[in-house]
Structure formats: structure tokens, C-alpha cells
Amino acid sequence: MKPKLYLFLAIAAALAAAFAFPLTVFADGIIIPDPPICDPGPCPPIPLPMEQLVVRYHHVTVTIVDQVAVTHVDQVFYNPNDWQIEGTYIFPIPVDAAVSGFTLWVDGQPVEGQVLSADEARQTYEQIVSSMRDPALLEYAGRGALQARVFPIAPQAERRIELEYSQALAAENGLVRYVYPLSTEKFSARPLESVTISVDVQSNVPIRAVYSPSHDIGVSRESDAHVTAGYEANHVLPESDFSLYYSLGKTEAFHVLSYRDATDPTDPDGFFLVLLAPRVQAAEAIIPKDVILVLDRSGSMDGEKFTQAQEALRYVLQHLNPDDRFNIITFSTGIEMYAEGLRPASEANEALPWVNSLWAEGSTDINRALLEAAAIANPERATYVIFLTDGLPTQGETDSAAILKNLAANAPENLRLFVFGVGYDVDTYLLDSLAQEHHGASSYVLPGEPLDEIVSGFYARVSTPVLTNLALDFEGISAYDLYPNPLPDLFAGSQIIAVGRYRQGGSTDVTLTGEFNGEIRTFSYPGQFLAQQSAFSDQMSAIPRLWATRKVGHLLNQIRLYGPDQETIDQIVRLSIRYGIVTPYTSYLVTEDVDDALSSSGQDRIAQEQYEAQVNMPTAAPSGAGAVGKAADQGALAGAEHIAPLVDTVAEVVKIVGARTFVLSDGVWMDTTFDPDTMQTIKVGFLSEDYFALSAASPDIAAAFALGQRVIVLWEHQAYEVVAEGEPTGPIALPTSQPPDATPTPEPPVGPDLDPTLAPTPDDGGDANSIQPAAPCGAGLLALLPLAGAVIFRKRCS
């Protein structure tokens, strides 16, 4: 019987290899305890097991002024062993980056460093891979590095290492990209105690959009030309590099990023991401809006919830724009309104005492409250209904389907409904359906969470609409499957991130249309380019997984709200396996063979079994902690703005390499685009000449080979399988180093006072005159390991 694939519940080991000597990989470094070279005589034996170094913190501070970035890295290492350790500090030069001004400090004292070219680094990587039988370093082939000696770290002592370098950033059509090589921390065997990245961006022109596809960042706008962004986490193992995009210009930001692997046999169509942010708005460019606040004041709201709801209403009233209008509707057993119709913003202060006088009692008549809101909505003005409730409908019409039908028949098309469900006793099906059918959004406030802060934060983001009813058109390009769909309204100080699919590719003129006070406005963006062929390790490789995450979230919501169907479940199963997304329909794959799960016939069977199970399953309750949790989780998937990291157990058997997903079964990392039913592999011996020739020919193959000693990867219509030394292999025809029709990578710029010789070049990847390091005692295989802020340690020789 074949070993089982623990695809999404994960119990198998990750990178495993039989080393000739014990090898411990940890955050920012590696200990190779055997054999140090000592003179005179043999070195003393090393006690085992050897404890790992501990990284106290990894803090990164970045200052970007007019596209010149200065990156300061601050790390503290702790040696828990009973002997002192010394080693070499290695920092990988970011790919395609023009960098200079390297400065290194150890415990506050400056240390001389050496810059190594990519060719020099590759030779050393391959030597380490061959000698240690660990392919992990192949992922970093093609990039240079900074190297410096580190003074010995005494037993139970710390060593602080600081690094600073300058880097010129390119702007392509006004979009600037900064990358910090954080992904190297994924080799750590222990989570980092603290990771922070703080980026301060200043420019002489306005900064429009700020976005990270890799990490969940907080963004603060100090002024139109000054923003700060930050990421912070504790006890984590970072999996991906930190990337940050920001847009420059006085007009609205509009950028199209794309990725397409036309050689993917399962799905050759492309993926695009549209990043849209408005220009700085003059007062006359702001759309006057109507705000209708609908508040549940039934008896269950009594106490802190109602106090916070009143505070939220006060915040909205105090932050209306001058030309806005408002009204307040409260409901319990009956309905009470502040005024008969919509009132001007100038009267908002007069409504505050009325809000303060409210109290909670009675039942919950959701149907009538929503109909009253629809009745006063003006179809000629942008209308935003903010609806707060903590309960199920218990008064008047209580059937959810009837409530949805009644509002659909009476609400004008311009009405946007934003729902806040408070606590667990809410009908998630009703609230999510209301928001979905009326172009809004639903949010769930769990017990103990601050309702007033959540609602106030939401209103701050939507208080100033500048364009409504948005639509995109790609001339001459078949674009489809856009998420979110429909596009949300555009608000001042906000941005829209939309992802979708396209066929073929090439140059296209993109048109954005929207409404401003009932008037159709058109914006043209000619000469946009959609990639025709990308490497799967391309810098845009996160886009497919982001699209798949949103698509799966949307499909799960459709099943939860409207029931299962075979086609929808089939899509969820295929997308989840292809992109490594955990869903209720794939977690059961703990019992599946990998060959079956990756084959088309196996996925058909899995989807059929799941559909039948769903049809025969009792209907889940729409309320309760489980229902609220499911609604919130699926809503987060559907609205994801960055790639969520894999959870610990899943990460043991699922690895993301660029746009590809690999799953571990029977010691083999298998590309999920590989179909065992229809494809044959070309076998490549581990550590053979063909093995290194293939990894040198393509960074895609090198990144895949870095997963382990047994790998199956599909590249340019051919599946390559790394097998154990000595197994029969076939003839290898080296693939081209760059896919046909690939978008050329622009040369990185050289900023003021930056040394261009330190940047990798298309020919040799870096400075051909880099100084080779000396070979101190115990160096040998320790010469290079490109872990971001890596330290290659050895036991001090006597």
C-alpha cells in the first residue's frame, strides 16, 4: 500500500536528507559541527546534540527618499552552548538590485566586509550542496552576497550584528518596488522571537497607492508625499521575501501587474492584478453622499454593546462631509427614526442628544428597519446604509428569504449596504446575503471586540467617495473572472486591489469607467502590457495564488449561502490542490495517495465524493460561534489582499515556490501541475552533472530542486524527476535559460553616489573583481550560506 499524502493536515517531515555529519539549520545560520580543521592535531569532539543559536530579534528599518533606499538590519544572536562559536556572516544581495554603501557592525564595532559576485557564490553553493548533500542553497544561485567574519560568541552570550546598505529603486510607469530578502529565514529550525520591518517613504511627488502582496502591513499617511508602512510578528518562520509597492504621481494611480505561464498544461491563461488609487481630491471632486445609520436597539444589545454602538453613531455624525445628508433608524419591536427624511450634515450636532437618549429593549424587526431605509434612499445620490445588529429577526417578517426578497424589490441600485454582526447570535446567511446583493460588505464583531472602533475605522475609509459603479475594459484582451466583482466604490485615501484572468496577452489599452454624481466618467490607460510568458519564479508569481485565494473564498461563500453544486465543488477541489489552499473540501486528503490527488481522474472522483457528502449533510445552523467563524474566514479569503502564510502543520508538507505548489509524499516533493496519469518524467540523478547543469540553466528549476533530494518539477512542457544517485537516468536536453517571449527585466538604476559595480549584471551577476575570502581554520564548506543576515558558524578551533 502506498504511503498516504498528508496534504493539508500535514504530519510528514519537510526537508529531510541523510547527511554524512550532523547538520543543524537555524534562523540566520548553520552549524556544521564536523569536521573542523585544527592545527596542531585533531579538534576536540563536539558534544551532541548541539543546541541551536537563538535569534533574539530581526529588525529592519528602511528609509526611502526619492527612490534611494537605505536599509538597516539589526539582529541579535544568542549562543546557548557551553563552548564559543565563530563564523562568517552572509547577506544575499537582492536580485536585480543596484546596491552599494555596505556597512557592517558587530557589537557596535565596524567590521570590513567583502562583496561576492553571483558566479562566485554559485560555485560555493554547489560545493556545499555536493559535500553536504543538502540542496537548499540552490534557491539562491544567481545572486551575490556580502560576507564578513564574525568574532567568537562566548557560551551563553549574545552578539549583535548590524548591516546597512543603499539601493536605487526603479520606477516603472510610476510604480516603485522594494524587496527585502526575508524568505531565507524559512530555513530556521526555531521561530524567530521578534521580526519587524519598518519602511519610511518620502518623495518630492505625491504617493498614491501603497501595497504589499507578501505581508499584512499597516500603512500610515503622514502627508501626500510621506507614508510609513510596517510589519511585525513574533515567534514566526517567514516564508517569503518582504515586498512593498508604492505609486508616485499627481494623478490617480493605475497599475496593471501580470503573470502568465503558457507552458502550464493545466491552465495556460494569465493572471492580472490592478492597483488603483485616487488622486489628491479637491473639495469639488468629492461626491456628496447620503448616510443612513440603522441600529438594533433590542434588549439583547443592552450594556457595553449598545454604549459602543452609540459611540460609533456619534463618530459618523461628527465626520460627515459638508454636502452629505443623514438619518438614523433604530429598531426593536417597533421603528423609531431621528427625522422623517434625510437631513443636511449641518444638523448632525443636533442629532447627538437624540442618540444619547436611546436605550435598548424589545425584539428585533430587521425587515421593517431595512425597508424604512430603502424608502428614504434617493436613487440619484450615492447612498450608504450602515446596519448594526446582534440578533436574529424575531419581530414582523422573520423568514430570511422573504427579508432578502423584500429589500431587493424596494432598494434602489445605488444603495450600498454595510452590515456589522455583533456577537454569535446573528443570522450569517442573511447578513452576508444582504451585503452581497447590495454591493456592500459584512463584518463580524466578536464578543470583547470594540464595536465603536471597528465601525469608526470602517467609516473613516469610506467617508469620501470619489467614483462609484466602476468597470474595467481591456481592449483586444479577453479578461474574465475578476475579484471582487462588482468592483467596489473608490474612496479618497483608499485603494482598490482587483485580480482576474486573461487569455493570450500583449499590449492593451485599459479603460476605467465610473460615475460621479450621476455623470459617467471615463479614464484611459493606453499601452498596458499583459505578460505572454513568465518564469514561475517571476517577481509577479504571487498573483496566481492571490487570485485563487479570492476565487475559492467566493465559491465557498456561494455554497454556504445557496447550497452545493457539482461544478462549484469541482472548482474548489482543483484550485485548492493546485495552489495549496486549505478548504473544507480538501482537508480530508489526509487519506489520499498523492498520485491520485494530482491526477485529473482522481480530482474528478474527489469532487464527486465531496458533492455527494454535502448533499446528504444536514443544513448547518446560520448562527452561533461556528457559523460566525466560518462566515468571517470565508469573507477573509474572498477579500484577501496578500498571500497568507501556510500554517505550521500544512507547511511541513506543502511548499510554495513562486507560482507553483509542491506537496510531499513518500519523500518526494511533487509539483501540483504534474499529472501522473498522463505525464512521463525525465530522471535526473541527485548531484549529477545534469543536476547542476539544469539548476544553472533555470532559476525555476534551481528553486524547485532546493526543496529536497527527491523532486518532480514541470518546466517548459517537461517533467524532471530528481532520483537517488545510482538509479537509471535518461539523456537530458538542457532547456533554454529564459522562456520564449518572456518580458525582459529592466536594468536596475544606479542612484546618486551609488557604485554600479556592486549590482548584479546580466552577464556575471555582480562585480567580477570581488575579493575571495580567506580560508581560516574550519572554513572549508563554511564559506557561504546566503541566509538573510546569515551566520555560518563553526566550533572555535584551538
Side-chain angles (χ1 to χ4, degrees):
M1 183 177 182
K2 292 183 178 180
K4 302 300 183 181
L5 167 65
Y6 293 76
L7 182 54
F8 296 109
L9 297 183
I11 64 172
L15 291 170
F19 297 112
F21 303 101
L23 174 66
T24 303
V25 180
F26 51 87
D28 290 343
I30 184 170
I31 296 177
I32 306 177
D34 186 55
I37 302 171
C38 297
D39 185 20
C43 292
I46 298 174
L48 294 177
M50 177 174 287
E51 290 191 60
Q52 303 162 352
L53 286 181
V54 175
V55 179
R56 297 295 196 197
Y57 62 73
H58 184 153
H59 296 172
V60 182
T61 304
V62 186
T63 302
I64 304 174
V65 179
D66 295 332
Q67 294 176 235
V68 176
V70 177
T71 301
H72 185 94
V73 184
D74 185 359
Q75 298 164 287
V76 168
F77 298 88
Y78 171 70
N79 176 17
N81 296 290
D82 293 330
W83 56 86
Q84 64 183 17
I85 296 175
E86 63 182 350
T88 300
Y89 182 89
I90 296 293
F91 187 90
I93 296 174
V95 177
D96 297 327
V99 296
S100 71
F102 280 114
T103 307
L104 188 70
W105 299 269
V106 177
D107 288 342
Q109 299 299 314
V111 175
E112 183 178 354
Q114 297 170 320
V115 176
L116 303 175
S117 72
D119 282 349
E120 293 166 335
R122 180 190 293 275
Q123 294 173 7
T124 309
Y125 300 158
E126 292 184 357
Q127 179 187 1
I128 295 175
V129 169
S130 294
S131 301
M132 300 308 300
R133 308 179 60 78
D134 179 3
L137 299 185
L138 290 177
E139 182 174 350
Y140 303 100
R143 66 169 69 182
L146 171 71
Q147 171 182 285
R149 291 293 299 146
V150 175
F151 298 111
I153 304 178
Q156 288 81 50
E158 292 182 344
R159 182 74 72 201
R160 182 182 183 186
I161 297 179
E162 296 175 87
L163 167 71
E164 187 170 283
Y165 63 93
S166 300
Q167 175 183 354
L169 305 178
E172 186 174 353
N173 295 324
L175 189 65
V176 182
R177 179 176 183 255
Y178 170 84
V179 175
Y180 177 76
L182 188 63
S183 67
T184 51
E185 297 286 15
K186 66 190 173 187
F187 293 109
S188 170
R190 292 173 120 186
L192 277 67
E193 293 185 8
S194 171
V195 179
T196 64
I197 299 179
S198 176
V199 186
D200 187 291
V201 184
Q202 302 175 44
S203 176
N204 57 11
V205 296
I207 300 170
R208 299 274 64 85
V210 180
Y211 171 59
S212 172
S214 60
H215 291 78
D216 186 9
I217 61 171
V219 177
S220 175
R221 292 187 174 272
E222 311 300 326
S223 69
D224 288 340
H226 183 192
V227 300
T228 59
Y231 165 75
E232 181 175 346
N234 297 317
H235 304 290
V236 294
L237 284 176
E239 295 178 340
S240 60
D241 289 343
F242 174 85
S243 61
L244 181 76
Y245 290 86
Y246 65 92
S247 178
L248 300 173
K250 296 181 179 180
T251 62
E252 66 279 347
F254 183 90
H255 304 282
V256 179
L257 310 177
S258 61
Y259 176 93
R260 180 176 183 238
D261 182 3
T263 68
D264 185 341
T266 62
D267 192 355
D269 287 356
F271 303 80
F272 68 84
L273 181 149
V274 171
L275 182 59
L276 175 63
R279 68 183 71 192
V280 177
Q281 300 298 323
E284 61 272 15
I286 297 173
I287 298 176
K289 67 181 185 300
D290 293 340
V291 179
I292 303 174
L293 299 161
V294 183
L295 174 62
D296 180 351
R297 61 181 185 93
S298 60
S300 59
M301 282 285 290
D302 194 28
E304 183 180 14
K305 286 189 292 186
F306 196 72
T307 300
Q308 292 182 348
Q310 289 175 300
E311 181 60 32
L313 264 59
R314 286 190 287 266
Y315 177 90
V316 174
L317 292 172
Q318 292 168 345
H319 290 82
L320 295 171
N321 296 322
D323 293 328
D324 289 348
R325 301 186 302 185
F326 76 95
N327 203 348
I328 306 167
I329 300 172
T330 66
F331 65 96
S332 57
T333 305
I335 300 295
E336 186 175 358
M337 301 174 63
Y338 167 71
E340 289 298 320
L342 293 161
R343 308 304 303 161
S346 57
E347 290 187 17
N349 285 335
E350 299 176 19
L352 294 176
W354 188 84
V355 171
N356 296 338
S357 68
L358 296 173
W359 69 93
E361 65 176 4
S363 302
T364 310
D365 194 343
I366 290 177
N367 180 71
R368 186 179 169 194
L370 292 173
L371 291 179
E372 292 288 352
I376 63 174
N378 186 334
E380 303 301 324
R381 283 171 60 102
T383 300
Y384 299 92
V385 176
I386 301 176
F387 179 72
L388 290 79
T389 183
D390 78 333
L392 306 171
T394 59
Q395 182 75 22
E397 180 60 72
T398 59
D399 179 68
S400 295
I403 294 173
L404 292 170
K405 183 178 180 180
N406 291 341
L407 184 61
N410 289 276
E413 292 186 2
N414 64 313
L415 185 147
R416 306 289 190 258
L417 179 56
F418 296 94
V419 176
F420 293 86
V422 184
Y424 295 134
D425 295 326
V426 292
D427 186 335
T428 58
Y429 297 170
L430 173 61
L431 300 188
D432 288 345
S433 298
L434 286 169
Q436 180 172 295
E437 294 179 10
H438 297 280
H439 311 299
S442 53
S443 301
Y444 293 94
V445 184
L446 303 183
E449 291 184 334
L451 173 63
D452 52 340
E453 295 179 14
I454 292 172
V455 175
S456 299
F458 157 78
Y459 182 75
R461 296 191 300 272
V462 303
S463 62
T464 310
V466 296
L467 202 64
T468 63
N469 295 323
L470 277 64
L472 285 170
D473 178 70
F474 293 80
E475 183 178 346
I477 298 288
S478 177
Y480 64 98
D481 248 357
L482 181 70
Y483 296 98
N485 187 23
L487 290 172
D489 295 344
L490 186 61
F491 302 92
S494 70
Q495 60 194 32
I496 292 175
I497 300 165
V499 289
R501 303 297 309 274
Y502 66 91
R503 298 182 177 89
Q504 302 305 318
S507 182
T508 179
D509 296 339
V510 182
T511 302
L512 171 70
T513 58
E515 291 186 19
F516 179 87
N517 279 344
E519 172 189 341
I520 300 296
R521 295 194 174 181
T522 301
F523 304 86
S524 297
Y525 305 96
Q528 303 295 319
F529 185 81
L530 295 177
Q532 295 171 311
Q533 175 61 44
S534 309
F536 69 69
S537 58
D538 184 89
Q539 65 183 21
M540 302 302 173
S541 60
I543 298 175
R545 195 158 183 259
L546 181 61
W547 171 86
T549 299
R550 288 192 178 184
K551 170 100 175 179
V552 166
H554 168 76
L555 294 175
L556 289 172
N557 269 330
Q558 296 302 104
I559 289 177
R560 184 170 56 87
L561 298 179
Y562 306 115
D565 65 84
Q566 183 66 68
E567 181 180 355
T568 300
I569 291 180
D570 181 77
Q571 291 184 72
I572 292 172
V573 168
R574 295 182 187 278
L575 288 171
S576 300
I577 293 174
R578 170 66 179 82
Y579 294 101
I581 300 171
V582 179
T583 72
Y585 303 99
T586 49
S587 60
Y588 80 102
L589 288 174
V590 66
T591 61
E592 290 297 322
D593 291 330
V594 61
D595 290 0
D596 190 44
L598 296 186
S599 67
S600 297
S601 59
Q603 292 177 19
D604 288 342
R605 180 187 57 77
I606 292 168
Q608 178 65 35
E609 290 176 355
Q610 284 298 294
Y611 171 69
E612 292 174 357
Q614 287 293 309
V615 169
N616 296 322
M617 186 179 298
T619 303
S623 60
V628 170
K630 182 182 291 187
D633 290 345
Q634 293 178 3
L637 282 177
E641 293 192 353
H642 65 278
I643 300 300
L646 297 172
V647 297
D648 293 343
T649 52
V650 175
E652 293 177 352
V653 293
V654 179
K655 297 294 182 185
I656 307 300
V657 178
R660 296 289 179 86
T661 301
F662 291 78
V663 295
L664 182 65
S665 177
D666 198 17
V668 180
W669 287 101
M670 301 186 69
D671 189 336
T672 58
T673 63
F674 173 70
D675 187 340
D677 283 353
T678 61
M679 299 178 185
Q680 299 294 320
T681 64
I682 293 179
K683 293 180 170 54
V684 182
F686 180 57
L687 303 182
S688 66
E689 290 185 7
D690 286 338
Y691 177 86
F692 286 111
L694 280 169
S695 65
S698 165
D700 289 345
I701 295 179
F705 282 4
L707 289 172
Q709 294 187 11
R710 298 290 308 279
V711 178
I712 295 177
V713 56
L714 191 65
W715 199 87
E716 288 197 358
H717 305 289
Q718 180 59 60
Y720 296 94
E721 180 178 3
V722 179
V723 298
E725 294 171 277
E727 290 191 25
T729 60
I732 303 295
L734 291 180
T736 57
S737 60
Q738 181 170 323
D741 302 323
T743 305
T745 301
E747 290 287 336
V750 178
D753 302 322
L754 297 185
D755 183 356
T757 64
L758 298 184
T761 68
D763 293 330
D764 61 13
D767 181 5
N769 298 315
S770 298
I771 301 173
Q772 291 285 0
C777 169
L781 302 177
L782 311 184
L784 283 175
L785 183 67
L787 301 182
V791 183
I792 305 165
F793 292 101
R794 61 188 176 91
K795 185 174 182 285
R796 181 169 176 79
C797 300
S798 57

